[in-house]
């Protein structure tokens, strides 16, 4: 009878085993067991960063290969573009020029020499400026970064604000006006808008400065970062700062108009999607203030697609400033790339392509890290 009662008892729950094989319960001071994934490979964020950095290195190599191949497939003779027709009649001059720039070697050998130079930070010698490409890029890239950075900052502030207002005032007058504004920003060509803005605000109204980064009479601030607004503040030159900020306003707003329209539309759709979630309804039912619901619940969930669009927009601003820089005489990498392409300056073109590609890689890495900071679900994955 006792055996039948013992057989009817439920099995004991599985517990850690002691040295003799008997189940024992952990003591009150025993620390909880760590997850198996944490014990095997360390912190998930560290593993994620290592994987992304390795992938970025592989993609950077792919960028060098694609840039080299496409640059050498462009129709045209760099010898004719740089020496002119009269020098082409002398075979000795042509052969010497090709030998000086390494164009007399096979393409695979030229690519290996290009990779070898990249490992040492050597991007080659520019055929138009007769200086190292790295020095040219160090001079022109900060100007484009300053212009694109100002444009994306204005775009984020206005685009996100307009999108939130449009979502909260759905199908009302502010929503209709902001949707029309975003449609105009996306549809109007940037180069046409730059021409109109330069003609109206500088030539006709004379309310904005002319072309360039600062007034010629003031000169440039002492170079520290290459960003004139930042360098002027570091040097304590408020006159240069005011001039640099004034020259930056019009081209930055012209570049930002398209991105403002894009972010307004994406923010509106993302916020509307989050507003319909159950946890937002529950927060409202609990009586939480609207400000808390908006910033703690709605915007935090909607920021993931917004950050994605903002990262891609910043990369496109860096690579798409050619016409705006030409109209406003902005000495940036867009002007440098245009002149290099028209003269078939192959090392300069490959250097610009590599810099723009690395910028995209860095932006994508930053966006992925921000995903984990903003959205806890990404951290758990």
């Amino acid at each position: 009878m006792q055996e039948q009662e013992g057989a009817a008892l439920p099995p004991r729950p599985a517990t850690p085993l002691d040295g003799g094989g008997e189940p024992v319960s952990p003591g009150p001071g025993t620390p909880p067991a760590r997850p198996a994934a944490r014990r095997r490979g360390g912190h998930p964020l560290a593993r994620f960063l290592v994987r992304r950095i390795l992938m970025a290195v592989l993609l950077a190599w792919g960028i060098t290969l694609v840039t080299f191949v496409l640059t050498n497939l462009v129709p045209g003779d760099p010898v004719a573009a740089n020496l002119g027709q009269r020098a082409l009649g002398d075979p000795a001059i042509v052969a010497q020029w090709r030998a000086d720039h390494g164009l007399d070697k096979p393409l695979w050998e030229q690519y290996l020499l290009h990779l070898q130079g990249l490992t040492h930070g050597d991007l080659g010698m520019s055929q138009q400026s007769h200086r190292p490409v790295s020095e040219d890029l160090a001079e022109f890239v900060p100007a484009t970064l300053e212009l694109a950075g100002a444009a994306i900052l204005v775009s984020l502030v206005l685009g996100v604000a307009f999108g939130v207002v449009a979502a909260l005032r759905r199908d009302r007058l502010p929503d209709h006006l902001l949707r029309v504004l975003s449609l105009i920003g996306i549809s109007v060509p940037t180069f046409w808008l730059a021409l109109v803005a330069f003609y109206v605000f500088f030539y006709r109204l004379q309310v904005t400065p002319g072309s360039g980064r600062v007034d010629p009479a003031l000169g440039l601030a002492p170079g520290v970062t290459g960003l004139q607004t930042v360098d002027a503040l570091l040097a304590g030159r408020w006159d240069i700062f005011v001039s640099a900020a004034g020259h930056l306003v019009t081209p930055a707003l012209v570049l930002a108009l398209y991105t403002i329209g894009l972010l307004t539309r994406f923010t509106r759709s993302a916020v509307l999607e989050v507003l319909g979630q159950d946890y937002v309804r529950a927060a409202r039912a609990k009586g939480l203030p609207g400000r808390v619901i908006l910033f703690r619940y709605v915007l935090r969930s909607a920021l993931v697609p917004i950050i994605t669009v903002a990262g891609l927009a910043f990369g496109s601003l860096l690579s798409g400033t050619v016409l705006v820089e030409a109209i406003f005489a902005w000495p940036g990498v867009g002007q440098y790339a245009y002149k290099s392409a028209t003269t078939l300056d192959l090392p300069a073109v490959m250097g610009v392509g590599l810099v723009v590609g690395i910028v995209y890689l860095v932006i994508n890495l930053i966006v992925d890290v921000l995903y984990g900071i903003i959205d806890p679900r990404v951290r758990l994955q």
Side-chain angles (χ1 to χ4, degrees):
M1 190 66 170
Q2 293 177 356
E3 294 181 356
Q4 293 179 357
E5 292 177 358
L9 293 176
R12 295 179 64 183
T15 56
L17 296 178
D18 61 2
E22 295 295 331
V24 296
S25 59
T30 304
R34 292 181 301 173
R38 179 72 61 84
R39 294 197 304 267
R40 288 195 301 267
H43 199 280
L45 181 58
R47 297 198 309 271
F48 168 76
L49 289 177
V50 170
R51 288 198 305 267
R52 288 309 307 264
I53 291 174
L54 293 177
M55 186 181 298
V57 173
L58 182 61
L59 290 175
W61 170 77
I63 290 171
T64 62
L65 180 61
V66 172
T67 305
F68 180 84
V69 172
L70 293 180
T71 302
N72 285 274
L73 288 178
V74 173
D77 188 4
V79 179
N82 288 273
L83 295 182
Q85 294 296 327
R86 294 184 60 182
L88 289 177
D90 192 341
I93 297 178
V94 173
Q96 183 63 38
W97 194 89
R98 289 183 176 275
D100 293 340
H101 294 85
L103 299 179
D104 57 338
K105 298 178 176 64
L107 284 180
W108 64 269
E109 188 173 352
Q110 294 182 34
Y111 179 66
L112 292 180
L113 292 175
H114 178 61
L115 285 182
Q116 183 180 0
L118 290 179
T119 57
H120 296 86
D122 182 14
L123 300 179
M125 188 70 66
S126 174
Q127 299 166 5
Q128 58 172 329
S129 64
H130 305 289
R131 296 196 309 169
V133 176
S134 57
E135 293 183 5
D136 289 341
L137 292 177
E139 178 182 345
F140 293 112
V141 168
T144 300
L145 286 176
E146 186 175 29
L147 180 58
I152 197 65
L153 182 62
V154 173
S155 302
L156 284 173
V157 173
L158 296 182
V160 173
F162 289 166
V164 171
V165 172
L168 296 179
R169 299 292 186 268
R170 183 180 182 180
D171 295 332
R172 299 180 185 175
L173 181 60
D175 182 24
H176 295 309
L177 293 178
L178 291 174
R179 290 168 68 181
V180 171
L181 177 63
S182 65
L183 182 62
I184 293 174
I186 295 175
S187 304
V188 175
T190 304
F191 72 91
W192 180 84
L193 184 63
L195 288 172
V196 172
F198 187 81
Y199 175 78
V200 172
F201 295 107
F202 170 68
Y203 183 73
R204 300 296 299 180
L205 301 179
Q206 297 182 357
V207 295
T208 59
S211 57
R213 300 180 69 183
V214 295
D215 293 334
L218 296 176
L220 299 178
V224 177
T225 64
L227 311 177
Q228 282 302 302
T229 51
V230 177
D231 290 343
L233 289 177
L234 294 177
R237 295 291 305 274
W238 291 99
D239 52 348
I240 297 179
F241 172 78
V242 172
S243 177
H247 283 78
L248 186 63
V249 168
T250 307
L253 289 177
V254 168
L255 276 178
L257 185 59
Y258 173 82
T259 312
I260 289 173
L262 192 65
L263 286 174
T264 300
R265 297 173 68 89
F266 269 88
T267 303
R268 179 183 182 274
S269 61
V271 171
L272 285 177
E273 182 179 356
V274 176
L275 287 175
Q277 299 296 324
D278 292 337
Y279 60 87
V280 177
R281 297 194 185 99
R284 289 175 174 170
K286 291 180 180 180
L288 292 178
R291 181 183 68 259
V292 175
I293 296 175
L294 176 63
F295 289 100
R296 185 175 297 180
Y297 296 95
V298 177
L299 272 183
R300 187 171 184 179
S301 299
L303 277 180
V304 173
I306 295 173
I307 289 176
T308 303
V309 176
L312 296 175
F314 183 70
S316 64
L317 286 176
L318 285 177
S319 58
T321 58
V322 178
L323 294 175
V324 174
E325 289 181 358
I327 293 171
F328 289 95
W330 194 268
V333 71
Q335 286 280 35
Y336 182 71
Y338 172 75
K339 294 178 181 178
S340 302
T342 54
T343 58
L344 292 181
D345 190 350
L346 303 185
V349 172
M350 289 187 290
V352 171
L354 179 62
V355 168
V356 173
I358 290 177
V359 168
Y360 268 101
L361 293 179
V362 172
I363 289 174
N364 288 332
L365 179 61
I366 294 174
V367 167
D368 289 339
V369 173
L370 290 177
Y371 285 166
I373 296 176
I374 294 174
D375 195 345
R377 295 170 296 181
V378 178
R379 291 200 296 269
L380 293 175
Q381 294 174 359

